[in-house]
Amino acid sequence: MFTGIVEEQGRVLDVRQQGQGRIFRFSASRILDDLKAEDSVAVNGVCLTATKAGEGFQATAVGETLSKTTLASLRVGQTVNLERAMLPSTRMGGHIVQGHVDCVGRITGIHDADPGVQLEVEFDRTFLRYVARTGSVCVSGVSLTVAREAEDLGARGRFRVALVPWTLEHTTLGDVRTGDTVNLEFDCLAKYVEQLLQYRGEATPGSGGLSAERLRELGF
């Protein structure tokens, strides 16, 4: 489990194919203080298991992970956001992040919002119901706040998130451009609530969740 507060940026040192998966080697400094094999590390928001640690660390991404995240496009020399799994004593500076990417989104706009910017992100509208104004969303491993009402574009959804100067300077989001892809993980609490309501018969899988009116009736 993570918080979406990036500890440092690392760099891809090596990429090797292994069957349907890939073995990555990353540079790092701060997170190596206590990192050991079998520890979890969020790499651009994707939970990976360190298989070797020392001068940098190594991790394997299986084919399923590569097909559902941006890790398949990583190349030697690229920078990545890194975060170790949280400790019980960790300050929850972001929100609960599992490192389980829901889908890949695309940057469709970068707007000035002095200080900082707002990123406009399009994504599969299947996940639109999990995006709440001023709620949290994890973008490439960074916990961010939804800055305005999400838009329903038909097959796609769109939201904006605000990036302060610190985030732009200390994460890879400071280097993104329009058209770039990003890993998206939506609020896990919303997904669990939805599933519990489905088992109560209040919603059915594939129905798009509960209506706004029904949610208000239930006290949400």
Side-chain angles (χ1 to χ4, degrees):
M1 187 177 294
F2 308 92
T3 68
I5 303 299
V6 173
E7 295 188 83
E8 67 172 310
Q9 293 184 70
R11 194 174 296 277
V12 181
L13 297 177
D14 187 51
V15 182
R16 289 185 289 122
Q17 194 76 26
Q18 184 180 63
Q20 298 300 311
R22 290 180 191 172
I23 299 174
F24 294 96
R25 189 162 59 88
F26 302 99
S27 68
S29 55
R30 182 176 178 182
I31 71 166
L32 295 178
D33 289 347
D34 61 355
L35 188 70
K36 60 185 184 302
E38 298 186 358
D39 283 351
S40 294
V41 181
V43 178
N44 280 355
V46 183
C47 180
L48 297 179
T49 300
T51 54
K52 292 182 181 178
E55 294 184 2
F57 70 97
Q58 183 173 292
T60 299
V62 298
E64 180 76 2
T65 301
L66 295 174
S67 69
K68 293 184 175 181
T69 72
T70 62
L71 294 190
S73 64
L74 285 183
R75 299 292 181 266
V76 172
Q78 282 186 255
T79 55
V80 291
N81 296 321
L82 300 175
E83 181 190 356
R84 289 168 291 187
M86 64 182 292
L87 298 169
S89 59
T90 301
R91 293 184 187 276
M92 182 60 77
H95 70 285
I96 296 173
V97 176
Q98 296 178 304
H100 303 161
V101 171
D102 289 302
C103 68
V104 171
R106 185 175 299 278
I107 305 297
T108 54
I110 302 174
H111 307 274
D112 288 333
D114 189 25
V117 301
Q118 286 189 358
L119 287 186
E120 186 178 83
V121 184
E122 283 192 7
F123 60 102
D124 185 336
R125 80 171 300 278
T126 302
F127 303 98
L128 189 63
R129 59 189 184 273
Y130 303 130
V131 183
R133 185 175 183 181
T134 70
S136 296
V137 62
C138 189
V139 179
S140 289
V142 185
S143 174
L144 297 171
T145 301
V146 178
R148 59 187 290 181
E149 202 76 35
E151 300 175 84
D152 188 342
L153 305 176
R156 306 286 288 173
R158 182 166 61 200
F159 63 80
R160 283 193 187 188
V161 285
L163 276 65
V164 298
W166 176 271
T167 303
L168 293 170
E169 183 179 351
H170 292 89
T171 76
T172 62
L173 296 184
D175 297 320
V176 297
R177 298 290 181 267
T178 300
D180 286 353
T181 54
V182 289
N183 293 318
L184 300 178
E185 180 184 337
F186 301 100
D187 187 358
C188 68
L189 296 180
K191 289 179 279 187
Y192 281 121
V193 168
E194 180 183 54
Q195 182 161 314
L196 287 169
L197 291 173
Q198 287 172 357
Y199 278 106
R200 286 179 52 188
E202 299 285 358
T204 56
S207 67
L210 300 176
S211 68
E213 181 180 356
R214 183 58 181 139
L215 286 171
R216 284 194 294 270
E217 291 174 358
L218 292 168
F220 291 95

